Amino acid sequence: MVASDLDRTLIYSAPALQLSVPDASAPRLLCVEIYDRKPLSYLTEDAAELFAELARTTVFVPTTTRTREQYRRIHLPGPAPQFAICANGGHLLVDGESDPDWQRHVRRRLADECASLDEIRTHLRRTADPAWLLKERVAEDLFAYLVVERALLPEGWVKELAAWVEPRGWTVSLQGRKIYAVPQPLTKSAAMREVARRTDVELTLAAGDSLLDADLLLAADRAWRPGHGELADSGWRAPNLTVLDEQGVAAGEQILREFLRAAGHGRGA
């Protein structure tokens, strides 16, 4: 089974592509997401072929912090995955529909183990400065995030927020212009283990670039992270983790090759 983060791991917005080659040598890109009538996310054409092969030969599970609505905007190459993990593990999609048993399980854990979303949002509103705060949003009534003007964000504000939420059972992740506040029990790894249980797989592979992916990478038998992102910036490592040198869209392509090689399939092998 392959459980992989999507944004800035396998698919990339235009600013995140990090193409550092001459224009004439740049790889051909395939758009996999359109939003508000504009192309939003891409991968290389070679990556698209690898993606399709991976989807055909493994249990591929897209694993994202995106809401269900945001996830459904993406059109990945290859056959549609039977399982997908959305809202950082808050929703387990089975054939495109959220599994009600998993929803109940998640809600019970959140009620028992951490402070309420309302308490966290109240603190965010009280401490965020309108000078750099662009938007405040709630995802699936499970967690909150801020869209900020990164250049104006005060140094140390995110660390102060993390220190405040940690004893309340929450965690913080800064990804680009977004600051996520997420309950600690809401994890991608828990949902991945549930899919592994249902499919009875023998080998689990994972990839991701942010602190919200760390638990997923630790839970997999083998894992990869690109040379960019929150985990790279912090120097995060684990015994089962391979750190790639590639950054941007080239890293996405390499991760797909590593998945196929580890699974013993196709061009990766």
Side-chain angles (χ1 to χ4, degrees):
M1 184 180 79
V2 175
S4 181
D5 177 51
L6 296 177
D7 294 283
R8 296 175 62 87
T9 298
L10 296 184
I11 66 174
Y12 291 81
S13 65
L17 291 172
Q18 297 190 45
L19 293 173
S20 57
V21 296
D23 292 352
S25 304
R28 291 168 60 92
L29 299 174
L30 174 68
C31 178
V32 294
E33 179 185 13
I34 293 177
Y35 178 60
D36 198 21
R37 302 181 182 179
K38 297 177 182 178
L40 190 61
S41 298
Y42 304 84
L43 42 67
T44 69
E45 288 190 347
D46 283 351
E49 293 183 14
L50 296 167
F51 216 127
E53 186 173 358
L54 190 73
R56 289 193 301 267
T57 56
T58 70
V59 178
F60 177 72
V61 185
T63 307
T64 179
T65 305
R66 287 180 177 231
T67 65
R68 289 169 291 173
E69 179 182 356
Q70 292 168 337
Y71 166 70
R72 287 170 179 144
R73 297 199 305 247
I74 304 171
H75 299 281
L76 299 172
Q82 181 184 5
F83 298 97
I85 296 167
C86 294
N88 212 63
H91 286 278
L92 174 58
L93 304 190
V94 182
D95 295 324
E97 299 298 326
S98 186
D99 184 89
D101 290 337
W102 183 252
Q103 284 185 54
R104 286 189 288 270
H105 168 74
V106 168
R107 294 290 181 180
R108 283 196 300 267
R109 288 200 64 192
L110 297 186
D112 293 342
E113 299 178 30
C114 57
S116 70
L117 175 61
D118 286 343
E119 180 180 347
I120 302 302
R121 291 187 69 196
T122 298
H123 181 78
L124 291 175
R125 292 194 193 101
R126 186 172 62 247
T127 58
D129 189 334
W132 47 261
L133 176 63
L134 301 178
K135 300 176 185 177
E136 189 258 346
R137 293 287 186 267
V138 170
E140 303 270 18
D141 289 325
L142 292 168
F143 61 90
Y145 64 93
L146 307 179
V147 182
V148 302
E149 188 65 59
R150 185 73 178 264
L152 300 179
L153 184 67
E155 184 178 356
W157 191 87
V158 174
K159 287 185 178 179
E160 291 174 6
L161 175 63
W164 186 87
V165 302
E166 195 276 334
R168 291 164 174 83
W170 287 63
T171 189
V172 170
S173 175
L174 174 61
Q175 301 179 38
R177 296 195 307 155
K178 293 182 179 179
I179 302 171
Y180 291 91
V182 179
Q184 291 175 9
L186 194 68
T187 64
K188 295 178 178 180
S189 60
M192 182 196 75
R193 291 188 183 98
E194 176 63 14
V195 177
R197 184 188 68 81
R198 296 187 188 192
T199 55
D200 197 28
V201 296
E202 296 182 355
L203 177 68
T204 54
L205 311 175
D209 72 297
S210 82
L211 288 176
L212 293 177
D213 297 314
D215 66 284
L216 175 71
L217 305 185
L218 287 170
D221 294 312
R222 295 187 62 187
W224 292 261
R225 71 160 170 85
H228 65 260
E230 207 175 17
L231 295 179
D233 292 344
S234 66
W236 188 86
R237 293 178 180 271
N240 63 330
L241 178 72
T242 298
V243 176
L244 300 178
D245 293 327
E246 290 84 358
Q247 299 183 16
V249 71
E253 189 173 310
Q254 184 59 33
I255 287 169
L256 290 165
R257 294 186 187 280
E258 296 289 344
F259 282 153
L260 285 166
R261 184 179 296 115
H265 293 303
R267 287 196 289 164

